[in-house]
Amino acid sequence: QVRLVQSGGGSVKVGGSLRLSCAASGFTSSNYCMAWFRVAPGKQSEGVASIDSAGSTTYANSVKGRFTISQDNAKNTLHLQMNSLRPEDTAMYYCAASSWLRSPSLTSTWYNYWGQGTQVTVSS
């Protein structure tokens, strides 16, 4: 059974850092295309970052240079390191896995497995 279990997140001041984790089970995450999405209050879902099985990545313009997506293959875990956080980064964050994609994508419809979500709140 495929499962994605998220951890991390929480509340932080502007300029602070957080790291999100997404532990995969039932499949080898490094063989899949993985991604992070977020949903802010009153807004549509936004693709934040994605990584494919070769380690190629893509980022939303809004997080480039601040966020880093990575895979810990030994622990079958996906991470999102978030630095220089801003109030507009406040959202519920979800990890996702795609058994179809062969290159990174920020389009949510390609992803067929999802984590439970974790809240990130950035305050001034």
Side-chain angles (χ1 to χ4, degrees):
Q1 180 181 1
V2 172
R3 286 191 70 198
L4 296 173
V5 179
Q6 296 179 222
S7 60
S11 297
V12 67
K13 295 289 189 181
V14 170
S17 298
L18 286 172
R19 189 173 85 151
L20 305 183
S21 297
C22 174
S25 60
F27 72 106
T28 302
S29 62
S30 59
N31 292 338
Y32 280 53
C33 197
M34 305 290 293
W36 291 96
F37 292 83
R38 66 186 181 186
V39 183
K43 296 187 177 181
Q44 291 186 330
S45 171
E46 176 189 20
V48 174
S50 176
I51 185 168
D52 68 13
S53 59
S56 296
T57 59
T58 191
Y59 294 91
N61 288 334
S62 57
V63 307
K64 277 182 184 176
R66 300 189 298 122
F67 290 12
T68 302
I69 188 171
S70 63
Q71 289 261 33
D72 183 337
N73 294 336
K75 296 183 178 180
N76 211 26
T77 298
L78 179 74
H79 298 291
L80 183 69
Q81 178 66 42
M82 304 184 293
N83 299 328
S84 303
L85 283 161
R86 304 167 179 170
E88 54 265 37
D89 295 318
T90 295
M92 185 72 78
Y93 284 72
Y94 297 88
C95 64
S98 173
S99 57
W100 300 314
L101 288 169
R102 293 297 175 262
S103 59
S105 172
L106 299 181
T107 302
S108 61
T109 52
W110 288 112
Y111 292 84
N112 45 337
Y113 302 109
W114 292 85
Q116 81 277 18
T118 186
Q119 178 68 37
V120 171
T121 302
V122 185
S123 59
S124 56

